[in-house]
Amino acid sequence: MINLLDFDAAGLADWFAQLGEKPFRARQVLRWMHRFGIDDFEQMTDVAKSLRAKLKEVAEIRGPVPVRDNTAADGTRKWLLDVGNGNAVETVFIPEANRGTLCISTQVGCALECSFCSTGRQGFNRNLTTAEIIGQLWHANRMLGAVKQPGVGDSGERVISNVVLMGMGEPLANYDNVVAALKLMLEDNAYGLSRRRVTVSTAGMVPAMDRLRQDVPVALAVSLHAPTDALRDELVPINKKYPLADLMAACRRYLENAPRDFITFEYVLLAGVNDSDADARALLALTRDIPCKFNLIPFNPFPDSGYRKPSAERVRHFQELLTRADVVTTVRKTRGDDIDAACGQLAGRVR
Ligand code: SAH
């Protein structure tokens, strides 16, 4: 059985062509699946009965299988999704006053072994398929009652207005499936999200950053975490392959074609490791000629991490050092930590 959630718009059109069907049929089905959240061909009322019957024989629309659904005190909601063979990944919805953000996973586990990340500690099992990646948005839309109604125009309002690829895994290490899912997020007949509101976060896979800029430029966040190669080699081992000078050059190239005119640098603050005044000054020097914003993430603890979160005072001071140099710097609010939904706490189940 072919899972139609595995196709982006172009892929679905090709597949319909092979069936001898017109491109507009593919568009109809795409809309039913993604816009209206339908997984039953029988409900696709404007699709010819004979085609519905044919589709039922050879294809399915199979979303993820939720095995847990938790809501935190602050409204953050987390789903654990079964992806087979004992593996499971997590998806988090973060409601805010003026937007709703869905944080989705791209791999079962992660191979990059960043020292402070609980996903990294679990090792890597496999890449998620396109269906499993876009399926997280498909599923969350349905669960949040956010699917559109057929016959009602698109008001532009979105319960899920933003998507960040900041869950489990390194998105750019699963390039093709991530790109197909990104295209669906932006596609008018699917989710119609603004490319400024879809963010890929990477630990710094330089060649894939260059490809993304060509294939589907979306907002980019880079997990920086250290101002020097010596320290970054230790915290983010992929740095040994793509050191800071290469990474900074890739950021500059990305900006030539990016939907936003800045890169977001994520910086997890680890007490006594990367949170000194000298670190802040070195960061400013490193990023001097890159239009950027900083997003500081006070370390979220997990068992046996070996790291501590800096005091609120230290975090404020570090922020101020950057802000004083005119670099816009926010501190990421911890959301959903009572259900282990905060950054770096997504663990899922990795076999
Ligand atoms: N692999 C990608 C996507 C994961 S994003 C990347 O590295 O960017 C998850 C973000 O949370 C990253 O910035 C990551 O460095 C950060 N993070 C990981 N563990 C954390 C922890 N324990 N506390 C706070 N942030 C953490």
Side-chain angles (χ1 to χ4, degrees), residues 156-176:
E157 261 175 58
R158 300 267 182 285
V159 175
I160 298 174
S161 56
N162 295 55
V163 172
V164 295
L165 277 62
M166 295 186 185
M168 298 169 65
E170 166 54 45
L172 297 186
N174 181 11
Y175 189 81
D176 293 341

Side-chain angles (χ1 to χ4, degrees), residues 7-307:
F7 290 122
D8 63 13
L12 194 68
D14 286 349
W15 187 77
F16 268 65
Q18 281 170 33
L19 283 187
E21 295 292 339
K22 297 255 160 46
F24 85 95
R25 291 293 180 200
R27 270 197 306 278
Q28 285 177 318
V29 171
L30 197 73
R31 262 202 299 272
W32 279 113
M33 287 196 285
H34 293 290
R35 249 180 122 148
F36 308 138
I38 298 294
D39 57 1
D40 173 7
F41 294 116
E42 276 318 308
Q43 289 178 43
M44 303 184 175
T45 45
D46 59 359
V47 175
K49 269 217 162 86
S50 57
L51 176 56
R52 281 186 248 162
K54 186 150 92 180
L55 288 173
K56 246 195 327 208
E57 265 171 43
V58 292
E60 61 184 348
I61 299 165
R62 187 159 39 84
V65 181
V67 286
R68 216 184 306 145
D69 178 350
N70 292 113
T71 302
D74 67 7
T76 301
R77 189 160 169 189
K78 181 173 86 166
W79 293 279
L80 180 71
L81 305 171
D82 186 353
V83 293
N85 291 321
N87 290 308
V89 297
E90 295 185 313
T91 305
V92 180
F93 176 66
I94 305 143
E96 287 174 274
N98 53 352
R99 64 178 171 195
T101 303
L102 193 70
C103 176
I104 70 184
S105 295
T106 55
Q107 298 181 309
V108 183
C110 187
L112 297 190
E113 302 191 307
C114 297
S115 60
F116 51 86
C117 176
S118 92
T119 303
R121 292 278 176 96
Q122 291 185 292
F124 173 72
N125 184 281
R126 67 170 174 87
N127 283 331
L128 294 182
T129 64
T130 300
E132 288 165 340
I133 298 169
I134 201 65
Q136 296 170 61
L137 179 53
W138 182 87
H139 170 77
N141 255 326
R142 285 166 49 116
M143 297 302 282
L144 296 166
V147 293
K148 307 275 168 218
Q149 293 309 312
V152 178
D154 186 355
S155 63
E157 261 175 58
R158 300 267 182 285
V159 175
I160 298 174
S161 56
N162 295 55
V163 172
V164 295
L165 277 62
M166 295 186 185
M168 298 169 65
E170 166 54 45
L172 297 186
N174 181 11
Y175 189 81
D176 293 341
N177 296 342
V178 161
V179 162
L182 289 173
K183 286 182 174 164
L184 285 167
M185 291 173 203
L186 305 182
E187 161 70 42
D188 279 338
N189 289 307
Y191 299 93
L193 292 173
S194 152
R195 53 175 86 243
R196 303 159 57 88
R197 290 170 170 269
V198 174
T199 302
V200 166
S201 180
T202 179
M205 305 203 63
V206 166
M209 288 165 67
D210 285 319
R211 289 179 69 193
L212 187 70
R213 163 173 62 104
Q214 306 289 348
D215 292 342
V216 20
V218 291
L220 186 70
V222 172
S223 290
L224 196 53
H225 307 322
T228 62
D229 281 318
L231 181 58
R232 196 164 190 270
D233 282 352
E234 203 182 294
L235 301 180
V236 184
I238 189 88
N239 192 69
K240 293 177 199 152
K241 200 159 173 192
Y242 308 115
L244 284 171
D246 296 356
L247 181 57
M248 293 303 115
C251 288
R252 274 190 296 271
R253 288 193 297 276
Y254 196 86
L255 283 172
E256 290 165 15
N257 203 18
R260 287 181 182 260
D261 55 7
F262 61 89
I263 301 278
T264 301
F265 287 122
E266 295 161 281
Y267 193 90
V268 61
L269 283 167
L270 307 165
V273 175
N274 67 355
D275 66 340
S276 71
D277 290 12
D279 291 322
R281 281 192 296 269
L283 268 182
L284 288 168
L286 176 71
T287 58
R288 192 162 23 219
D289 55 354
I290 301 181
C292 65
K293 294 185 181 178
F294 269 89
N295 191 216
L296 304 175
I297 319 174
F299 175 66
N300 288 311
F302 57 89
D304 301 319
S305 72
Y307 292 106

